[in-house]
Amino acid sequence: MNLRASTAHLACAVFDKYLSLQEKPVMPEQIKVVAATCLKVSDIFGEQSKEYYKQENSVEYTEAAVGKSITPSQMLSCEKEILPKLGFKLHHPTIRWFLQCYIAYARLSMFDAVGKTASFIADLMLLDFELLLYTPSLKAQCAVLMAAFLVQQEATLHQPHQPLDKAMKSLPNEDQSDKCKSIGPLQGYLSCLAYWDKNIRDAVCRANVAVDASMCLQAVVRMLLDKRREWKSLQLNAVEIKHAQLARALAYPDRFPVFKLLRYILSDHQRSLVPE
C-alpha cells in the first residue's frame, strides 16, 4: 500500500490510544483487526481528497493484511467501536509531525542527510514498546539529534579535514543540505544544529526534564544498536525496506556521547543539571 509516513505514525498513535482505553486486554486474534482498522481510519483522516462517509475501502486493507485473514465486516465492526471510544478525535500530534516542525526550525530539510536519517529513526521508534513512555515531541527531538550526530560522524570519517558540506557529498546518493558548514570535534558539538542550539532549543525544549530526556536518548541508542538487530532476526523488516539505501549505509561510532549530546534537547535551566 502506498501510504504516507504521516499516515503510519497516526495509525500507531490511534492504535496505542485505543489500547490504553481498554479495561481488558485485547485478545491476540483481534489485534490484527484493530491495527488494520486504525490504519484505514488514519489513511482516510490524513488524505484530504477522501470523503470519509462517501466511500468504503475496507477490502483494500483486508487484502493487504498478512494471510488475508481479516474480512471487511470485521473491520467495519471494529471501526464502529474504535471511533466512538476515541470520541471521533483523530488529530494526535505524532513523532512525524513534531519531526517535520523541528527540522524546519533547525533550518534543515526533510530531504537532506539529516532529515532522511531522522525519518528512518522516527519510523524505527514505532516498533519500540519501551519508547511509549516518552512524549512524541521528545522522541522527535531525539531523532533529530541522533540523526545530526550520525551524519556528522559519517562525514568526518569520509573527509576528516574537509568542511562538512563537502564531506557530506561523499555519502552515497543523499541530497545534502548546505546548512552544515564546518566540522567541529565530535565531542558533543554538532555544527548542523548550531542554529537550533542558539535560537530554538531553549524555547522548544523548555518542558524537557534532564532525567527523562537522558533516559529517552539512551533508549534510542539501545534501539539502534540492539533492538534493530533483534527486529531483523524476527523479520520485522518493513522500516528497513522502506529506507533500504540509508539503512545499509548507516554506520555507528564506537561510542555515543549521550550526556554531551543531551545538551541539545535541554533548556538552559536543565542544562545546568547535566555534567559537562
Coordinates of all heavy atoms in Angstrom, one line a residue, residues 194-274:
A194 N 23.7 24.2 15.0 CA 24.1 25.4 15.5 C 23.0 26.4 15.6 O 22.8 27.1 16.7 CB 25.2 26.0 14.7
Y195 N 22.2 26.6 14.6 CA 21.0 27.5 14.6 C 20.0 27.0 15.6 O 19.5 27.9 16.4 CB 20.4 27.6 13.2 CG 19.3 28.6 13.2 CD1 19.6 30.0 13.0 CD2 17.9 28.3 13.4 CE1 18.6 30.9 12.9 CE2 16.9 29.2 13.4 CZ 17.3 30.5 13.1 OH 16.3 31.5 13.1
W196 N 19.7 25.8 15.7 CA 18.8 25.2 16.6 C 19.3 25.5 18.1 O 18.5 26.0 18.9 CB 18.7 23.7 16.4 CG 18.1 22.9 17.6 CD1 18.8 22.4 18.7 CD2 16.7 22.5 17.7 NE1 17.9 21.7 19.5 CE2 16.7 21.8 18.9 CE3 15.6 22.6 16.9 CZ2 15.5 21.2 19.4 CZ3 14.4 22.0 17.4 CH2 14.3 21.4 18.6
D197 N 20.5 25.3 18.3 CA 21.1 25.5 19.7 C 21.0 27.0 20.1 O 20.7 27.2 21.3 CB 22.5 25.0 19.7 CG 23.1 25.0 21.1 OD1 22.4 24.6 22.1 OD2 24.3 25.3 21.3
K198 N 21.2 27.8 19.2 CA 21.3 29.3 19.5 C 19.9 29.9 19.6 O 19.7 30.7 20.5 CB 22.2 30.0 18.5 CG 22.3 31.5 18.8 CD 23.2 32.2 17.8 CE 23.3 33.7 18.0 NZ 24.2 34.3 17.0
N199 N 19.0 29.5 18.7 CA 17.8 30.3 18.5 C 16.5 29.5 18.9 O 15.4 30.1 19.1 CB 17.6 30.8 17.1 CG 18.8 31.6 16.7 OD1 18.9 32.8 17.1 ND2 19.7 31.1 15.9
I200 N 16.5 28.2 18.9 CA 15.3 27.4 19.0 C 15.3 26.6 20.3 O 14.2 26.5 21.0 CB 15.2 26.4 17.8 CG1 15.3 27.2 16.5 CG2 13.9 25.7 17.9 CD1 14.2 28.3 16.3
R201 N 16.4 26.0 20.7 CA 16.4 24.9 21.7 C 15.8 25.3 23.0 O 14.9 24.6 23.6 CB 17.9 24.5 22.0 CG 18.1 23.6 23.2 CD 19.5 23.5 23.5 NE 20.2 24.8 23.6 CZ 20.1 25.6 24.7 NH1 19.4 25.3 25.7 NH2 20.7 26.8 24.7
D202 N 16.1 26.5 23.6 CA 15.7 26.9 24.9 C 14.2 27.0 25.0 O 13.6 26.6 26.0 CB 16.3 28.2 25.3 CG 16.0 28.6 26.8 OD1 16.3 27.7 27.6 OD2 15.6 29.7 27.0
A203 N 13.5 27.5 23.9 CA 12.1 27.6 24.0 C 11.4 26.3 23.7 O 10.4 25.9 24.4 CB 11.7 28.7 22.9
V204 N 11.8 25.6 22.7 CA 11.2 24.3 22.3 C 11.3 23.2 23.4 O 10.4 22.4 23.6 CB 11.7 23.8 21.0 CG1 11.3 22.4 20.7 CG2 11.2 24.8 19.8
C205 N 12.5 23.2 24.0 CA 12.8 22.1 25.0 C 12.5 22.5 26.4 O 13.0 21.8 27.3 CB 14.3 21.7 24.8 SG 14.8 21.2 23.2
R206 N 11.8 23.5 26.6 CA 11.5 24.0 28.0 C 10.8 23.0 28.9 O 11.0 23.0 30.1 CB 10.8 25.3 27.9 CG 10.7 26.1 29.2 CD 10.3 27.5 29.0 NE 11.4 28.2 28.3 CZ 11.2 29.5 27.8 NH1 10.1 30.1 28.0 NH2 12.2 30.0 27.2
A207 N 10.0 22.2 28.3 CA 9.2 21.2 29.1 C 10.0 19.9 29.4 O 9.6 19.1 30.2 CB 8.0 20.8 28.3
N208 N 11.2 19.8 28.8 CA 12.0 18.6 29.0 C 12.7 18.6 30.3 O 13.2 19.6 30.8 CB 13.1 18.4 27.9 CG 12.5 18.2 26.5 OD1 11.3 18.0 26.4 ND2 13.3 18.3 25.5
V209 N 12.7 17.4 31.0 CA 13.4 17.2 32.2 C 14.7 16.4 31.9 O 14.6 15.5 31.1 CB 12.5 16.5 33.2 CG1 13.3 16.2 34.5 CG2 11.3 17.3 33.5
A210 N 15.8 16.8 32.5 CA 17.1 16.2 32.2 C 17.0 14.7 32.3 O 17.5 14.0 31.4 CB 18.1 16.8 33.0
V211 N 16.4 14.2 33.4 CA 16.4 12.7 33.6 C 15.6 12.0 32.5 O 16.1 11.0 32.0 CB 15.8 12.4 35.0 CG1 15.7 10.9 35.2 CG2 16.7 13.0 36.1
D212 N 14.5 12.5 32.2 CA 13.6 11.9 31.2 C 14.3 11.9 29.8 O 14.3 11.0 29.0 CB 12.2 12.5 31.1 CG 11.4 12.3 32.4 OD1 11.7 11.3 33.1 OD2 10.5 13.0 32.6
A213 N 14.8 13.1 29.5 CA 15.5 13.3 28.2 C 16.7 12.3 28.1 O 16.9 11.7 27.0 CB 15.9 14.7 28.0
S214 N 17.4 12.2 29.1 CA 18.6 11.3 29.1 C 18.2 9.8 28.9 O 18.7 9.1 28.1 CB 19.4 11.4 30.5 OG 20.4 10.4 30.5
M215 N 17.1 9.4 29.6 CA 16.6 8.0 29.5 C 16.1 7.8 28.1 O 16.3 6.7 27.6 CB 15.6 7.8 30.6 CG 16.1 7.8 32.0 SD 14.8 7.6 33.3 CE 14.3 5.9 32.9
C216 N 15.4 8.7 27.6 CA 14.8 8.6 26.2 C 16.0 8.5 25.2 O 15.9 7.6 24.3 CB 13.9 9.8 25.9 SG 13.1 9.6 24.3
L217 N 17.0 9.3 25.3 CA 18.1 9.3 24.4 C 18.8 8.0 24.5 O 19.3 7.4 23.5 CB 19.0 10.5 24.6 CG 20.1 10.7 23.5 CD1 19.5 10.9 22.2 CD2 20.9 12.0 23.9
Q218 N 19.0 7.5 25.7 CA 19.7 6.2 25.9 C 18.9 5.1 25.3 O 19.4 4.1 24.7 CB 20.0 6.0 27.3 CG 21.1 6.9 27.9 CD 21.3 6.7 29.4 OE1 21.9 5.7 29.8 NE2 20.9 7.6 30.2
A219 N 17.6 5.2 25.4 CA 16.7 4.1 24.8 C 16.8 4.1 23.3 O 16.7 3.1 22.7 CB 15.3 4.4 25.3
V220 N 16.9 5.3 22.7 CA 17.1 5.4 21.3 C 18.4 4.8 20.8 O 18.5 4.0 19.8 CB 17.0 6.9 20.8 CG1 17.4 7.0 19.3 CG2 15.7 7.4 21.1
V221 N 19.5 5.0 21.6 CA 20.8 4.3 21.3 C 20.6 2.8 21.4 O 21.1 2.1 20.5 CB 21.8 4.8 22.3 CG1 23.1 4.0 22.1 CG2 22.1 6.3 22.1
R222 N 19.9 2.3 22.4 CA 19.7 0.9 22.5 C 18.9 0.3 21.4 O 19.1 -0.8 20.9 CB 19.0 0.5 23.9 CG 19.9 0.6 25.1 CD 19.2 0.0 26.3 NE 18.0 0.6 26.7 CZ 17.9 1.7 27.5 NH1 19.0 2.2 28.0 NH2 16.7 2.2 27.8
M223 N 17.9 1.1 20.9 CA 17.1 0.7 19.8 C 18.0 0.5 18.6 O 17.8 -0.4 17.8 CB 16.0 1.8 19.6 CG 15.2 1.5 18.4 SD 14.1 2.9 17.9 CE 15.3 4.0 17.2
L224 N 18.9 1.5 18.3 CA 19.7 1.4 17.1 C 20.7 0.3 17.2 O 21.0 -0.4 16.2 CB 20.4 2.7 16.9 CG 19.6 3.9 16.6 CD1 20.4 5.2 16.6 CD2 18.9 3.7 15.2
L225 N 21.3 0.1 18.4 CA 22.4 -0.9 18.5 C 21.9 -2.3 18.7 O 22.5 -3.2 18.1 CB 23.3 -0.5 19.7 CG 24.1 0.8 19.6 CD1 24.9 1.0 20.8 CD2 25.0 0.8 18.3
D226 N 20.9 -2.5 19.5 CA 20.4 -3.8 19.9 C 19.1 -4.2 19.2 O 19.0 -5.3 18.6 CB 20.4 -3.9 21.4 CG 21.7 -3.7 22.1 OD1 22.7 -4.0 21.5 OD2 21.7 -3.1 23.1
K227 N 18.1 -3.4 19.5 CA 16.8 -3.8 19.0 C 16.6 -3.9 17.5 O 15.9 -4.8 17.0 CB 15.7 -2.9 19.6 CG 15.6 -3.0 21.1 CD 14.6 -2.1 21.7 CE 14.5 -2.2 23.2 NZ 13.4 -1.4 23.8
R228 N 17.3 -3.0 16.8 CA 17.2 -3.1 15.4 C 17.7 -4.4 14.9 O 17.1 -5.0 13.9 CB 18.1 -2.0 14.8 CG 18.0 -1.8 13.3 CD 18.9 -0.7 12.8 NE 19.0 -0.8 11.3 CZ 20.0 -0.2 10.6 NH1 21.0 0.4 11.3 NH2 20.0 -0.3 9.3
R229 N 18.8 -5.0 15.5 CA 19.3 -6.3 15.1 C 18.2 -7.4 15.4 O 18.0 -8.3 14.7 CB 20.6 -6.6 15.8 CG 21.3 -7.8 15.4 CD 22.5 -8.1 16.2 NE 23.4 -7.0 16.2 CZ 23.7 -6.2 17.3 NH1 23.1 -6.5 18.5 NH2 24.5 -5.2 17.3
E230 N 17.6 -7.3 16.6 CA 16.6 -8.2 17.0 C 15.4 -8.2 16.0 O 14.9 -9.3 15.7 CB 16.1 -7.9 18.4 CG 17.1 -8.1 19.5 CD 16.6 -7.7 20.9 OE1 15.4 -7.4 21.0 OE2 17.4 -7.6 21.8
W231 N 14.9 -7.0 15.6 CA 13.8 -6.9 14.7 C 14.1 -7.6 13.4 O 13.3 -8.2 12.8 CB 13.4 -5.5 14.6 CG 12.9 -4.9 15.8 CD1 12.3 -5.5 16.9 CD2 13.0 -3.5 16.2 NE1 11.9 -4.6 17.9 CE2 12.4 -3.4 17.5 CE3 13.5 -2.3 15.6 CZ2 12.3 -2.2 18.2 CZ3 13.5 -1.1 16.3 CH2 12.8 -1.1 17.6
K232 N 15.3 -7.4 12.9 CA 15.7 -8.0 11.7 C 15.7 -9.5 11.8 O 15.2 -10.2 10.8 CB 17.2 -7.6 11.3 CG 17.3 -6.2 10.8 CD 18.8 -5.9 10.4 CE 19.0 -4.5 10.0 NZ 20.4 -4.2 9.7
S233 N 16.1 -10.1 12.9 CA 16.1 -11.5 13.1 C 14.6 -12.1 13.2 O 14.4 -13.2 12.8 CB 16.8 -11.9 14.4 OG 16.2 -11.5 15.5
L234 N 13.7 -11.2 13.6 CA 12.3 -11.6 13.6 C 11.5 -11.3 12.3 O 10.3 -11.4 12.3 CB 11.6 -10.9 14.8 CG 12.1 -11.2 16.2 CD1 11.5 -10.3 17.3 CD2 11.8 -12.7 16.5
Q235 N 12.3 -10.8 11.3 CA 11.7 -10.5 10.0 C 10.8 -9.3 10.1 O 9.8 -9.1 9.3 CB 11.0 -11.7 9.4 CG 11.8 -12.9 9.2 CD 13.0 -12.6 8.2 OE1 12.7 -12.1 7.1 NE2 14.2 -13.0 8.6
L236 N 11.0 -8.4 11.1 CA 10.3 -7.1 11.1 C 11.1 -6.1 10.3 O 11.7 -5.2 10.8 CB 10.1 -6.7 12.6 CG 9.3 -7.6 13.5 CD1 9.3 -7.1 14.9 CD2 7.9 -7.7 13.0
N237 N 10.9 -6.2 9.0 CA 11.8 -5.5 8.1 C 11.2 -4.4 7.3 O 11.8 -3.8 6.4 CB 12.4 -6.5 7.0 CG 13.3 -7.5 7.7 OD1 14.1 -7.2 8.6 ND2 13.2 -8.8 7.2
A238 N 9.9 -4.0 7.7 CA 9.2 -3.0 6.9 C 10.0 -1.7 6.8 O 10.1 -1.0 5.8 CB 7.8 -2.8 7.4
V239 N 10.5 -1.2 8.0 CA 11.2 0.1 8.1 C 12.5 0.0 7.3 O 12.9 0.9 6.6 CB 11.4 0.5 9.5 CG1 12.2 1.8 9.6 CG2 10.1 0.7 10.3
E240 N 13.2 -1.2 7.5 CA 14.5 -1.4 6.8 C 14.3 -1.4 5.3 O 15.1 -0.8 4.5 CB 15.1 -2.7 7.2 CG 15.4 -2.8 8.7 CD 16.6 -2.0 9.2 OE1 17.4 -1.7 8.3 OE2 16.6 -1.7 10.4
I241 N 13.2 -1.9 4.8 CA 13.0 -2.0 3.4 C 12.6 -0.6 2.9 O 13.0 -0.1 1.8 CB 11.8 -3.0 3.1 CG1 12.3 -4.4 3.4 CG2 11.4 -2.9 1.6 CD1 11.2 -5.4 3.3
K242 N 11.8 0.1 3.6 CA 11.4 1.5 3.2 C 12.6 2.4 3.1 O 12.6 3.2 2.2 CB 10.4 2.0 4.3 CG 10.0 3.5 4.0 CD 9.1 4.0 5.1 CE 8.7 5.4 4.9 NZ 7.9 6.0 6.0
H243 N 13.5 2.3 4.0 CA 14.7 3.1 4.0 C 16.0 2.3 3.6 O 17.0 2.5 4.2 CB 14.9 3.7 5.4 CG 13.8 4.6 5.9 ND1 13.7 5.9 5.6 CD2 12.7 4.2 6.6 CE1 12.6 6.4 6.2 NE2 12.0 5.4 6.8
A244 N 15.8 1.4 2.7 CA 16.8 0.4 2.4 C 18.2 1.0 2.1 O 19.2 0.5 2.7 CB 16.4 -0.5 1.2
Q245 N 18.3 2.0 1.3 CA 19.6 2.5 0.9 C 20.3 3.2 2.1 O 21.5 2.9 2.3 CB 19.4 3.6 -0.2 CG 20.7 4.1 -0.8 CD 20.5 4.9 -2.0 OE1 19.4 5.2 -2.4 NE2 21.6 5.4 -2.7
L246 N 19.5 4.0 2.8 CA 20.1 4.6 4.0 C 20.4 3.6 5.1 O 21.5 3.7 5.7 CB 19.1 5.6 4.6 CG 19.6 6.5 5.7 CD1 18.9 7.9 5.6 CD2 19.3 5.9 7.1
A247 N 19.6 2.6 5.3 CA 19.8 1.6 6.3 C 21.1 0.8 6.1 O 21.8 0.5 7.0 CB 18.6 0.7 6.4
R248 N 21.3 0.5 4.8 CA 22.5 -0.3 4.5 C 23.8 0.6 4.8 O 24.9 0.0 5.1 CB 22.5 -0.7 3.1 CG 21.5 -1.9 2.8 CD 21.8 -2.5 1.4 NE 21.6 -1.5 0.4 CZ 20.5 -1.3 -0.3 NH1 19.4 -2.0 0.0 NH2 20.4 -0.4 -1.3
A249 N 23.7 1.9 4.5 CA 24.9 2.7 4.6 C 25.2 3.3 6.0 O 26.3 3.8 6.3 CB 24.8 3.9 3.6
L250 N 24.2 3.2 6.9 CA 24.3 3.8 8.2 C 25.3 3.1 9.1 O 25.3 1.9 9.2 CB 22.9 3.7 8.9 CG 22.8 4.6 10.2 CD1 22.9 6.1 9.8 CD2 21.4 4.3 10.8
A251 N 26.3 3.9 9.6 CA 27.3 3.3 10.4 C 27.3 4.0 11.8 O 27.0 5.2 11.9 CB 28.7 3.6 9.8
Y252 N 27.6 3.2 12.8 CA 27.6 3.7 14.2 C 29.0 3.9 14.7 O 30.0 3.1 14.3 CB 26.9 2.7 15.1 CG 25.5 2.4 14.7 CD1 25.0 1.1 14.8 CD2 24.6 3.4 14.3 CE1 23.7 0.8 14.5 CE2 23.3 3.1 14.0 CZ 22.8 1.8 14.1 OH 21.5 1.5 13.7
P253 N 29.3 4.9 15.5 CA 30.6 5.1 16.1 C 30.8 4.0 17.2 O 29.9 3.3 17.6 CB 30.5 6.5 16.7 CG 29.0 6.6 17.1 CD 28.3 5.9 16.0
D254 N 32.0 4.0 17.7 CA 32.4 3.1 18.8 C 31.6 3.5 20.1 O 31.3 2.6 20.9 CB 33.9 3.2 19.1 CG 34.7 2.6 18.0 OD1 34.2 1.8 17.2 OD2 35.9 3.1 17.8
R255 N 31.3 4.7 20.3 CA 30.5 5.1 21.5 C 29.6 6.3 21.1 O 29.9 7.0 20.1 CB 31.5 5.5 22.6 CG 32.3 6.8 22.3 CD 33.3 7.1 23.4 NE 34.0 8.3 23.1 CZ 33.6 9.6 23.4 NH1 32.4 9.7 24.0 NH2 34.3 10.6 23.1
F256 N 28.6 6.5 21.9 CA 27.7 7.6 21.7 C 27.8 8.5 22.9 O 27.5 8.1 24.1 CB 26.2 7.1 21.6 CG 25.9 6.4 20.4 CD1 26.2 5.1 20.1 CD2 25.2 7.1 19.4 CE1 25.9 4.5 19.0 CE2 24.9 6.5 18.2 CZ 25.2 5.2 18.0
P257 N 28.3 9.8 22.7 CA 28.5 10.7 23.9 C 27.1 11.3 24.3 O 26.8 12.4 24.1 CB 29.4 11.8 23.3 CG 29.0 11.8 21.8 CD 28.7 10.4 21.5
V258 N 26.3 10.4 25.0 CA 25.0 10.7 25.3 C 24.8 12.0 26.1 O 24.0 12.9 25.8 CB 24.3 9.6 26.0 CG1 22.9 10.0 26.5 CG2 24.1 8.4 25.1
F259 N 25.6 12.1 27.1 CA 25.5 13.3 28.0 C 25.9 14.6 27.4 O 25.4 15.7 27.7 CB 26.2 13.0 29.3 CG 25.6 12.0 30.2 CD1 26.1 10.8 30.4 CD2 24.4 12.4 30.9 CE1 25.4 9.8 31.2 CE2 23.8 11.5 31.7 CZ 24.3 10.2 31.9
K260 N 26.8 14.5 26.4 CA 27.2 15.7 25.7 C 26.2 16.1 24.7 O 25.9 17.3 24.5 CB 28.6 15.5 25.1 CG 29.7 15.4 26.1 CD 31.1 15.2 25.4 CE 32.2 15.1 26.5 NZ 33.5 14.9 25.9
L261 N 25.6 15.1 24.0 CA 24.6 15.3 23.0 C 23.3 15.8 23.7 O 22.5 16.6 23.1 CB 24.3 14.1 22.2 CG 25.4 13.5 21.4 CD1 25.0 12.2 20.7 CD2 25.8 14.5 20.3
L262 N 23.1 15.3 24.9 CA 21.8 15.7 25.6 C 21.6 17.2 25.7 O 20.4 17.6 25.8 CB 21.9 15.0 27.0 CG 20.7 15.1 27.9 CD1 19.5 14.5 27.3 CD2 21.0 14.6 29.3
R263 N 22.6 17.9 25.8 CA 22.5 19.4 26.0 C 21.7 20.0 24.8 O 21.2 21.1 25.0 CB 23.9 20.0 26.1 CG 24.7 19.4 27.3 CD 26.1 19.9 27.3 NE 26.2 21.3 27.5 CZ 26.2 21.9 28.7 NH1 26.0 21.2 29.7 NH2 26.3 23.2 28.8
Y264 N 21.6 19.4 23.7 CA 20.9 19.9 22.5 C 19.4 19.8 22.7 O 18.7 20.4 21.9 CB 21.3 19.2 21.2 CG 22.6 19.8 20.7 CD1 23.9 19.1 21.0 CD2 22.7 20.9 19.9 CE1 25.1 19.6 20.5 CE2 23.9 21.4 19.4 CZ 25.1 20.7 19.7 OH 26.3 21.2 19.2
I265 N 18.9 19.1 23.7 CA 17.5 18.9 23.8 C 17.0 19.3 25.2 O 16.0 18.9 25.8 CB 17.0 17.5 23.5 CG1 17.7 16.4 24.3 CG2 17.1 17.2 22.0 CD1 17.2 15.0 24.1
L266 N 17.8 20.2 25.9 CA 17.5 20.7 27.2 C 17.5 22.2 27.2 O 18.3 22.8 26.5 CB 18.5 20.2 28.2 CG 18.6 18.7 28.5 CD1 19.7 18.4 29.5 CD2 17.2 18.2 29.1
S267 N 16.6 22.8 28.0 CA 16.6 24.2 28.2 C 17.9 24.7 28.9 O 18.6 23.8 29.5 CB 15.4 24.7 28.9 OG 15.4 24.1 30.3
D268 N 18.1 26.0 29.0 CA 19.3 26.5 29.7 C 19.3 26.1 31.1 O 20.3 25.7 31.7 CB 19.3 28.0 29.5 CG 19.6 28.5 28.1 OD1 20.2 27.6 27.3 OD2 19.3 29.6 27.8
H269 N 18.1 26.1 31.7 CA 18.0 25.7 33.2 C 18.3 24.3 33.4 O 19.1 23.9 34.3 CB 16.6 26.0 33.7 CG 16.3 25.5 35.0 ND1 16.9 26.1 36.2 CD2 15.5 24.5 35.5 CE1 16.5 25.4 37.2 NE2 15.7 24.5 36.9
Q270 N 17.8 23.4 32.6 CA 18.0 22.0 32.7 C 19.5 21.6 32.4 O 20.0 20.6 32.9 CB 17.1 21.2 31.9 CG 15.6 21.2 32.4 CD 15.5 20.4 33.7 OE1 16.0 19.3 33.8 NE2 14.9 21.0 34.7
R271 N 20.1 22.4 31.5 CA 21.5 22.1 31.1 C 22.4 22.1 32.3 O 23.4 21.4 32.4 CB 22.0 23.1 30.1 CG 21.7 22.7 28.7 CD 22.4 23.7 27.8 NE 22.4 23.3 26.4 CZ 23.1 23.8 25.4 NH1 23.8 25.0 25.7 NH2 23.1 23.4 24.2
S272 N 22.1 23.0 33.3 CA 22.9 23.1 34.5 C 22.9 21.9 35.3 O 23.8 21.7 36.2 CB 22.5 24.3 35.3 OG 21.2 24.1 35.8
L273 N 22.0 20.9 35.1 CA 21.9 19.7 35.9 C 22.7 18.6 35.2 O 22.8 17.5 35.8 CB 20.4 19.3 36.0 CG 19.5 20.3 36.6 CD1 18.1 19.8 36.6 CD2 19.9 20.7 38.0
V274 N 23.2 18.8 34.0 CA 23.9 17.8 33.3 C 25.4 18.0 33.4 O 25.9 19.2 33.2 CB 23.5 17.7 31.8 CG1 24.3 16.7 31.1 CG2 22.0 17.5 31.7

